Each structure stands twice: as structure tokens, then as C-alpha cells.
Amino acid sequence: MTDTPPLPALKPARPYFSSGPCAKPPGWSPDKLATESLGRSHRSKIGKARLQYCIDLIREVLEVPETHRIGIVPGSDTGAVEMAMWTMLGARGVTTLAWESFGEGWVTDAVKQLKIDPTVIRADYGQLPDLGEVNFADDVIFTWNGTTSGVRVPNGDWIAADRVGLTIADATSAVFAQDIAWDKVDVLTFSWQKVLGGEGAHGVLILGPRAVERLESYTPEWPLPKVFRLVSKGKLAEGVFKGETINTPSMLAVEDAIFALEWGKSLGGLSAMKARADANAAALDAIVQSREWLGHLAADPASRSNTSVCLTVDGADEARIKAMAKLLEEHDAAYDVAGYRDAPAGLRIWCGATVETADIEALGPWLDWAYAATAA
């Protein structure tokens, strides 16, 4: 190692750049959470009221149309995606899009668990597959924003308005930061732990009318675990979308999500949250553009994420990235910034709405320092 260069003068005030769980909203502290529902049954009057309030806030802040139902389900975003796959797939052909780790996970579920033979359209990390190849006679599964590659779909224009199959979008690191074409999405999933900075464990499942029609008209061949069951006696279990969760939720996690949603609403709602993410991504891009040794894994700005921004580091292998991340954490300058374990070696900086732009700006000199400090 070379001699360690001098430390930068200014640290990020909140060095929370993890891509999940993500930074808490500014001003958050546990004593600000409502606690009246804690220690109470989630089926009590107050328990159901708080769950319904959380659903209502999601609809308001995320601008979900009244045509779509919103439910709180087990298992974080993964549970929500798998609930959709297990209950709806098998009625027709399936196409899966994969350009990063989580998209590949849904391919694995379809092939190895459900024994479906899907059409798989892939692209390497940093790239977006040819969306024009998608056959919308199939049910189509994709990530709206690839959290581990920093590549997102630019919009919903590529999705056929007259599609026959369903579209199932894992949008966990896109919602509250990117525009969602609700008329093109039949199923959308996310977890509170990303752009809201909430806690994990619970997922959110949003169903459009065509998804409800599928659930009420089709029964899959495989057995369904209790936590996946959305239909009772041939009809949608409407209670799930009114705060009557399938299993016992953490009311503390619900209250934490409510805090984050109220924070987002107080900013001005969806447009304000998107603007914060855009400003953070722009600040990070300015850092990248001014350094020859830094680059974007997502080559095309049109499909580059404004939340989970993945960076390449010139000449760095996995060991050096780990060393850089360790040094930054030891100095409380940046936490959890190493890229995802299955992704190419690099850095990943969360730029969602709960991060302050000033902290992104302060990060630049620390990246320089860590890069220099780990130079062999």
C-alpha cells in the first residue's frame, strides 16, 4: 500500500448509502413513531385502522389509480413477487427479462421451482435487453429498476397496450423515485426498505384489474402455501387489500412505514420525492464525470437508475472494492457502498429520496481518498 493520503475535511452528515435497507428519512428517530398500535392485535380496531391508513398513504403518495388494489404481504419484495408468480403463472406462456441478479432470481423460480419453460431475454450487467423482442401474448416478468446493476427501463412505452398476458413488475427500487406507467402494469411489487427508508420483512403487492381477473378465473396446478393465497371460494380475498393481512405483521414496521409516507407527503408527494432522487443522482454523476477513474456501469443515461447507482472503478478488483468500502465505513464517511456480490466489482451508491444531496456532494473527496489509500 502507498502512504495514506490526508483525510478530507468534510464528512457526509448522514453516511447511509446502502441500497437496502436504505437511509431513514431525514429527521427520523424511533421516538417519533406512533406506538398506540404496538402490543395490540393487528385484527383489533386500531390495528386494522393503521394498516388501512398505511395502504391509503401508499395510494396517495405513490399516485396509484383507484383501479388497482394495494395489499401488505409477507416476505418483503421477494415474497410479493413470488406470491404473484405462484398464483398467476401457468395459464399461458411466460417471458422473463433478466439483466441483473434479482431478474435472474425470478428466472430461477420459474424454471426450477415452478417447472415452467419461460422465454428468457437477457442482457449483461450495465445493459438493457432488447425490449422490442418481448412477446406480450405471454405473461412478462421484469424488474423496473435493476437494483444490482443500476439499469432501469426508461418508461412504459415498450409495453403493449393491447397485451394478452400479464405484466409483473418488480419495482422495489423504482417506486417513489421513477414514473410508473400504471396502465401498463398488471402487478407491481415493492418493499418499504428502499426509497421510503422503511423496515424490511413486509412487501407491497399492487394488482390491476387484469391481475384480479386472472386470480378469479385460473387455478394453478401446483400447491399454494397459505401465505400466497389471495383467493377464497373463487373470489379475490378483498380483506388483504383492506389491511387484513394474511399473517401477523410487525405493527412497529407498519408505523415506521407510515412515518416515511407522511414525510414524503409533507415534501409535496411523489413529484418532490422524484426530484430529490434526481438531484442526488445528478450530484453523483457530477462526481463521476470529473474523475477519470470512476465510471457508470449503466452505459446509457436513458436507462441509468436514479436510485441504485452502480459505478465502475478503474483497475479495481473485488478485493480492492472491499478495502475501499471498509476504509470508508471505518471513518464513518460512507456505509455499505460495495457493489452487490454477484455484480461486477464496483461501488453502489444509493441516491433515493431519503438521502441528502449535500451528503452525496461530500462523498466525492472521500471516494478519492479511499481510491488513493488502496492503490497498490
Side-chain angles (χ1 to χ4, degrees):
M1 294 292 188
T2 61
D3 293 335
T4 303
L7 296 174
L10 179 67
K11 288 184 183 180
R14 301 170 69 237
Y16 300 96
F17 301 112
S18 164
S19 289
C22 301
K24 290 293 188 187
W28 179 93
S29 68
D31 60 355
K32 292 183 180 180
L33 302 184
T35 57
E36 291 81 3
S37 67
L38 305 190
R40 298 292 306 274
S41 168
H42 61 295
R43 296 187 178 91
S44 67
K45 182 177 180 180
I46 187 173
K48 288 198 288 188
R50 295 302 281 175
L51 285 159
Q52 182 65 63
Y53 178 52
C54 185
I55 289 171
D56 291 344
L57 279 173
I58 291 170
R59 185 179 301 281
E60 180 181 0
V61 179
L62 190 52
E63 298 180 6
V64 180
E66 293 296 331
T67 53
H68 288 55
R69 292 169 169 86
I70 302 171
I72 298 169
V73 299
S76 194
D77 178 62
T78 299
V81 174
E82 293 185 334
M83 180 179 286
M85 293 179 68
W86 260 249
T87 56
M88 298 180 210
L89 296 188
R92 58 191 319 106
V94 175
T95 291
T96 56
L97 301 174
W99 61 88
E100 50 89 54
S101 299
F102 290 102
E104 285 291 348
W106 313 140
V107 174
T108 299
D109 275 356
V111 174
K112 294 187 176 180
Q113 306 303 323
L114 295 177
K115 309 298 183 184
I116 291 171
D117 184 22
T119 298
V120 183
I121 304 176
R122 287 187 169 93
D124 292 335
Y125 277 87
Q127 304 294 323
L128 194 65
D130 184 355
L131 301 177
E133 293 182 11
V134 178
N135 176 11
F136 287 99
D138 286 356
D139 294 330
V140 179
I141 306 168
F142 68 99
T143 53
W144 196 280
N145 182 93
T147 311
T148 65
S149 71
V151 176
R152 62 175 173 179
V153 295
N155 49 53
D157 294 351
W158 59 281
I159 301 173
D162 60 350
R163 62 194 177 278
V164 179
L166 300 178
T167 50
I168 300 174
D170 169 3
T172 196
S173 55
V175 289
F176 302 101
Q178 299 166 18
D179 289 317
I180 303 296
W182 291 107
D183 60 327
K184 302 292 186 69
V185 173
D186 300 306
V187 180
L188 182 138
T189 68
F190 71 92
S191 67
W192 296 325
Q193 63 162 309
K194 298 292 187 183
V195 184
L196 289 174
E199 293 301 301
H202 303 300
V204 175
L205 178 69
I206 302 180
L207 303 180
R210 300 176 74 252
V212 174
E213 180 183 12
R214 171 70 63 84
L215 286 168
E216 293 184 339
S217 63
Y218 166 71
T219 302
E221 297 178 358
W222 42 78
L224 290 177
K226 179 182 178 181
V227 292
F228 284 179
R229 296 173 199 163
L230 292 169
V231 173
S232 177
K233 298 178 181 178
K235 292 295 183 182
L236 185 72
E238 294 284 2
V240 174
F241 305 94
K242 297 177 181 177
E244 298 173 14
T245 54
I246 293 173
N247 70 334
T248 305
S250 163
M251 294 308 298
L252 185 59
V254 171
E255 295 296 350
D256 186 73
I258 287 172
F259 178 94
L261 288 159
E262 289 180 334
W263 170 79
K265 181 179 177 180
S266 73
L267 296 177
L270 182 60
S271 61
M273 295 183 75
K274 290 190 299 184
R276 284 178 65 93
D278 286 343
N280 290 336
L284 184 56
D285 182 58
I287 291 171
V288 173
Q289 298 303 327
S290 62
R291 288 157 174 81
E292 291 185 355
W293 60 272
L294 265 182
H296 286 286
L297 181 60
D300 183 359
S303 56
R304 186 179 298 154
S305 174
N306 65 342
T307 57
S308 55
V309 183
C310 298
L311 304 178
T312 59
V313 177
D314 187 40
D317 58 9
E318 184 178 352
R320 186 173 181 185
I321 293 298
K322 286 184 177 179
M324 289 178 66
K326 181 181 179 182
L327 282 174
L328 291 166
E329 181 170 345
E330 286 175 348
H331 286 81
D332 297 314
Y335 301 145
D336 312 316
V337 294
Y340 192 70
R341 60 181 180 269
D342 295 332
L347 301 172
R348 183 171 58 157
I349 312 297
W350 183 256
C351 290
T354 57
V355 173
E356 300 281 21
T357 302
D359 289 331
I360 296 286
E361 294 168 342
L363 180 61
W366 283 94
L367 296 180
D368 293 330
W369 172 82
Y371 183 69
T374 56

